[in-house]
Amino acid sequence: MRTMLHSKIHRARVTRCDLDYEGSITIDRDLLQAADILPFEQVQVLNLNNGARFATYVIEGEAGSGEIGLNGAAARCACKGDIVIILTYDQVAEADLAGHMPKLVYVNEQNRITSVKQAIGAIFF
């Protein structure tokens, strides 16, 4: 088994940081559906502004809100307006690697979806 990228929300902007909320990240439901991410699923968050990388779990936000809200301890890892990449991973059997295609969700400055693509993992074979 290999740990492979399952999905990515690319260059989303943090809209809110709430230190007093339980730890997690709140993500607009539309973004979750496009990236095939479930509520309470573990995600890795990469902050392009300060280099922080951390794992947390997802809380579903209101559809169409554009929300990317960092809660609890995660709120210390970014500031409102920071640009983040949100990743999920799969365990993929060696025999299935050639057909593995992660979902890539691209957003604009308001965290609205501009495109959804599937990366072709077979380029290495």
Side-chain angles (χ1 to χ4, degrees), residues 6-70:
H6 173 75
S7 62
K8 170 174 78 166
I9 301 172
H10 190 69
R11 297 183 64 89
R13 291 189 188 270
V14 175
T15 59
R16 175 182 62 72
C17 294
D18 185 353
L19 189 60
D20 294 322
Y21 193 86
E22 285 187 44
S24 58
I25 184 171
T26 304
I27 302 174
D28 178 320
R29 181 182 321 133
D30 292 341
L31 298 175
L32 293 178
Q33 289 175 345
D36 190 27
I37 299 173
L38 298 174
F40 307 110
E41 185 171 356
Q42 181 178 335
V43 293
Q44 184 176 31
V45 182
L46 318 177
N47 185 327
L48 296 178
N49 292 82
N50 66 18
R53 300 171 69 102
F54 58 93
T56 190
Y57 65 93
V58 171
I59 293 177
E60 183 179 287
E62 182 182 341
S65 66
E67 183 174 14
I68 301 292
L70 296 177

Side-chain angles (χ1 to χ4, degrees), residues 69-124:
L70 296 177
N71 307 306
R76 295 265 189 216
C77 298
C79 294
K80 183 177 176 180
D82 281 1
I83 298 171
V84 295
I85 299 171
I86 302 163
L87 308 171
T88 63
Y89 299 94
D90 274 339
Q91 293 294 312
V92 180
E94 294 279 336
D96 297 326
L97 288 174
H100 179 72
M101 294 175 42
K103 283 192 152 186
L104 311 176
V105 178
Y106 297 88
V107 299
N108 64 17
E109 295 79 16
Q110 291 78 40
N111 295 330
R112 304 290 185 251
I113 298 169
T114 58
S115 66
V116 178
K117 301 177 183 176
Q118 287 197 299
I120 300 171
I123 59 173
F124 300 110

